[in-house]
């Protein structure tokens, strides 16, 4: 294998740049030219007017300074066209034209699916798990997850300080799509009293009971940490009717949200005020923590070594603290187990 390419795909994640830097360093070491592919798989579809918008030769000098920067230098995107075999053929043609013999793909499960399809078309690929969500069961960590937890932990600590000052409970919403790991670890790290995640069935009435219990004990600054996907596992509740009946503004068809939940709980628990904070994209755009950067460094080097040695169709991960690799299709079959014990511990008192 001579020339290789690298792309970042899906939502950006802290540590993606560190991985690209490590890949560039390794490629230089092994004498393999490196091409950066812009905006995920889109960069292979030749839709831009200028090739330089899609592909860029990457030299160590170019990327040396990006290792500790947030975001992704290569840009990223979700690419629905890649589900279509016709567009995948275009991608393969681009790679042949550019004489790119193999790819490192940094992204989540959707990006891994794309890599599998490219492998079937004869393009060797190795993947690095880059997503804050930690929703890939085969690995103990995904790039960006630890940073996202740190960001949420800082946010909750700050929120708990102001909550204490005002004797005012607060809801903090973390990202994670359908995975509650960021919220779970944040709740554990901050001593938050109530946790709501997509993996566990819950009801608004149940949360009101728990909150009342805290208020009765005198804990007026109770924190509810919730994962953004938790609405999928909520017992049905007519929030529109409830809010209208209690004189709050709510529009018909408006989905339930942290803000609306705060209003409902305020009325259910007879509080004067209840607030909410959505941590949001600061989780994705944060400076990578040392653990994520360290993983990126090792994973980037391993990815290049695998391609150099002709090993393809693999994903890199962490098992018992060690960086390892396994076939993509096997990794995607591993079932995720939610830490129910920790969830119950957080919600137990
Ligand atoms: O997958 C990372 C993630 O930040 C999820 O936690 C979130 O649900 C999603 O991406 C948001 O995606 P977008 O930025 O494309 O709306």
């Amino acid at each position: 294998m001579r020339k290789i390419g690298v792309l970042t795909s899906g939502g950006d994640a802290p540590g993606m740049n560190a991985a690209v830097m490590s890949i560039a360093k390794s490629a230089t070491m092994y004498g393999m030219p490196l091409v950066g592919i812009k905006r995920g798989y889109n960069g292979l579809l030749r839709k831009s007017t200028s090739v330089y918008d899609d592909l860029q030769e990457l030299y160590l000098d170019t990327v040396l300074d990006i290792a500790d920067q947030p975001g992704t230098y290569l840009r990223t995107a979700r690419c629905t066209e890649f589900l279509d075999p016709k567009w995948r053929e275009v991608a393969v043609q681009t790679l042949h034209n550019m004489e790119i013999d193999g790819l490192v793909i940094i992204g989540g499960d959707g990006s891994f699916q794309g890599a599998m399809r490219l492998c079937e078309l004869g393009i060797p690929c190795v993947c690095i798990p880059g997503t804050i969500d930690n929703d890939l069961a085969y690995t103990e960590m995904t790039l960006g997850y630890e940073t996202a937890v740190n960001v949420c932990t800082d946010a909750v600590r700050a929120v708990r300080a102001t909550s204490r000052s005002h004797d005012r409970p607060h809801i903090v919403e973390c990202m994670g799509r359908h995975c509650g790991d960021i919220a779970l670890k944040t709740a554990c790290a901050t001593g938050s009293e109530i946790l709501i995640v997509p993996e566990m069935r819950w009801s608004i009435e149940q949360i009101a009971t728990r909150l009342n219990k805290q208020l009765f004990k005198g804990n007026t600054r109770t924190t509810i940490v919730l994962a953004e996907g938790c609405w999928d596992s909520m017992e049905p509740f007519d929030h529109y009717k409830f809010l209208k009946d209690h004189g709050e503004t709510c529009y018909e068809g408006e989905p339930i949200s942290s803000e609306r939940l705060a209003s409902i709980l305020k009325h259910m628990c007879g509080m004067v005020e209840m607030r909410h904070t959505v941590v949001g994209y600061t989780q994705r755009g944060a400076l990578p923590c040392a653990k994520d950067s360290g993983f990126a460094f090792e994973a980037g080097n391993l990815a290049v070594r695998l391609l150099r040695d002709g090993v393809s169709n693999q994903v890199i991960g962490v098992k018992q603290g060690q960086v390892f690799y396994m076939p993509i299709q096997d990794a995607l079959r591993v079932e995720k187990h939610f830490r129910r014990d920790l969830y119950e511990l957080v919600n137990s008192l």
Side-chain angles (χ1 to χ4, degrees), residues 38-103:
K38 302 277 187 71
R39 298 174 183 83
Y41 290 105
N42 290 289
L44 296 173
L45 303 185
R46 283 183 287 167
K47 290 201 294 180
S48 305
T49 42
S50 155
V51 70
Y52 301 107
D53 284 343
D54 290 335
L55 304 159
Q56 178 191 353
E57 301 274 347
L58 283 187
Y59 303 101
L60 190 51
D61 284 355
T62 332
V63 295
L64 216 45
D65 288 340
I66 65 166
D68 51 4
Q69 279 178 22
T72 165
Y73 171 80
L74 292 176
R75 311 286 197 272
T76 187
R78 304 185 197 279
C79 179
T80 44
E81 283 95 335
F82 221 68
L83 297 170
D84 181 343
K86 279 197 306 258
W87 281 109
R88 293 202 290 268
E89 290 291 348
V90 174
V92 169
Q93 201 49 57
T94 307
L95 291 164
H96 287 326
N97 293 347
M98 292 293 296
E99 297 177 326
I100 296 172
D101 301 322
L103 281 182

Side-chain angles (χ1 to χ4, degrees), residues 204-205 234 236-256 260 263-264 267-268:
I204 294 189
E205 292 83 357
M234 187 183 89
F237 183 88
D238 190 346
H239 61 280
Y240 173 69
K241 181 171 184 319
F242 182 96
L243 289 167
K244 288 263 308 194
D245 289 352
H246 288 81
E248 299 280 350
T249 315
C250 183
Y251 304 100
E252 206 160 356
E254 186 187 319
I256 182 82
R260 296 299 173 218
S263 291
I264 294 166
H267 290 291
M268 276 188 172

Side-chain angles (χ1 to χ4, degrees), residues 11-12 78 131-133 135 175-177 182 228 281 284:
D12 60 351
R78 304 185 197 279
T131 166
I132 61 166
D133 299 341
D135 55 354
M175 274 188 166
R177 204 181 287 270
I182 299 177
E228 64 174 359
Y281 286 91
R284 291 234 307 248

